[in-house]
Amino acid sequence: MIKQIKSFITSFVYLFYPRICHGCGGDLVTGEKFICLSCRQLLEPTDYSSKKENRIYNNMVARIPMEEATSFYYFTKGGVIQNLLHDLKYKGKRDVGVYLGELFGQHLLQFDRYRKVDVIIPVPLHDKKFKKRGFNQSERLGKGLSHEMTKPLLTNVLVRSQFTATQTNKSRVERWENVEAAFDIKNENMLKGKHILLVDDVMTTGATLEACARKLMMIEGVTISLATLAYTDEL
């Protein structure tokens, strides 16, 4: 009886507040969460997590020592991932980030290399941008990853100490110069000897991830792996 009442209430709520797919804007049906089945089928997963030497790893390990590096999906302009991230970052749909992080976490758990990480650290936002947006999209992804992988999410160690302009429309060199000295470390004893999974939403040139990783590598005994929800060379 209680189950029937809950089902009736849920259906009544959805009648006036329909659940919308964040990929295409259409209505979700029973059993769908945040994204419809059609959009799920349009997502373009990479195969980077299944092999150590992939495009992301080879790109980053030439710049800084890495254990592992991966991206879950390809990012294409006008694609489903762009729509999902747009709703997350600019429309405040925070639960979308957690959901995508959970999907990512389930994916990474298929590979023993990623089960060995100790902690998860999201790329931080500067306080000024955090106050304006109200949340950190990478932290929301990290929360989903943390839940699925049962690894602690640490947000008080790597901090963004300098406010920087957006990386959009900057060259590779300009992106690096923009973020080279933007990050600092606090409470470093929490990370000594740890294998860190550094998380961001989208990787383009990797400048931001490199700047974060270089700071983290200054801590005694740490190893770094990278995980981004999406990868693109279009931005």
Side-chain angles (χ1 to χ4, degrees):
M1 182 67 177
I2 294 177
K3 187 176 181 180
Q4 291 175 325
I5 293 173
K6 287 183 177 179
S7 178
F8 173 78
I9 292 173
T10 299
S11 298
F12 182 79
V13 170
Y14 289 165
L15 179 64
F16 294 97
Y17 301 98
R19 299 181 307 140
I20 302 299
C21 171
H22 295 281
C24 66
D27 291 343
L28 295 177
V29 301
T30 302
E32 294 178 338
K33 187 177 180 181
F34 295 112
I35 180 172
C36 68
L37 180 60
S38 295
C39 284
R40 283 287 296 268
Q41 293 174 336
L42 290 175
L43 292 172
E44 301 178 75
T46 74
D47 62 349
Y48 295 158
S49 303
S50 66
K51 48 193 177 185
K52 185 177 184 74
E53 293 195 9
N54 57 62
R55 187 172 185 177
I56 306 297
Y57 177 84
N58 291 338
N59 182 323
M60 297 302 297
V61 77
R63 295 185 253 173
I64 191 166
M66 290 283 137
E67 286 296 308
E68 310 292 340
T70 189
S71 287
F72 194 11
Y73 296 115
Y74 291 110
F75 179 106
T76 54
K77 290 184 177 179
V80 174
I81 280 294
Q82 182 180 35
N83 293 339
L84 289 167
L85 288 175
H86 184 272
D87 276 8
L88 167 62
K89 293 174 70 171
Y90 304 113
K91 294 186 178 179
K93 305 300 182 180
R94 306 181 190 192
D95 288 345
V96 173
V98 178
Y99 174 66
L100 291 171
E102 289 173 346
L103 294 180
F104 198 4
Q106 293 164 15
H107 168 74
L108 291 181
L109 285 175
Q110 298 177 61
F111 309 100
D112 184 61
R113 301 190 307 278
Y114 290 98
R115 292 197 292 268
K116 294 178 180 179
V117 302
D118 297 310
V119 298
I120 298 170
I121 294 183
V123 170
L125 288 181
H126 189 271
D127 284 347
K128 182 177 179 180
K129 186 170 288 187
F130 186 92
K131 289 176 181 177
K132 180 179 180 180
R133 186 174 293 169
F135 65 98
N136 176 359
Q137 71 276 2
S138 297
E139 184 178 328
R140 303 306 291 176
L141 293 169
K143 184 176 181 179
L145 281 161
S146 174
H147 177 264
E148 292 298 322
M149 300 178 74
T150 63
K151 305 293 182 179
L153 177 68
L154 301 183
T155 60
N156 62 342
V157 180
L158 180 67
V159 297
R160 195 161 194 145
S161 55
Q162 293 184 13
F163 182 79
T164 56
T166 178
Q167 297 281 68
T168 305
N169 298 322
K170 284 183 168 54
S171 69
R172 181 181 295 270
V173 172
E174 289 171 335
R175 284 171 183 252
W176 170 247
E177 291 174 343
N178 192 42
V179 297
E180 180 180 6
F183 302 96
D184 280 317
I185 299 293
K186 295 183 177 180
N187 308 311
E188 66 178 70
N189 288 336
M190 297 176 65
L191 291 181
K192 285 185 177 180
K194 301 295 186 182
H195 182 177
I196 301 166
L197 185 65
L198 181 62
V199 176
D200 205 3
D201 53 355
V202 181
M203 176 177 172
T204 50
T205 66
T208 300
L209 289 164
E210 180 182 354
C212 290
R214 285 186 180 278
K215 274 294 179 182
L216 292 168
M217 287 297 294
M218 296 172 68
I219 301 173
E220 180 184 345
V222 304
T223 53
I224 307 289
S225 290
L226 303 180
T228 68
L229 182 71
Y231 168 77
T232 182
D233 54 12
E234 295 183 1
L235 299 179

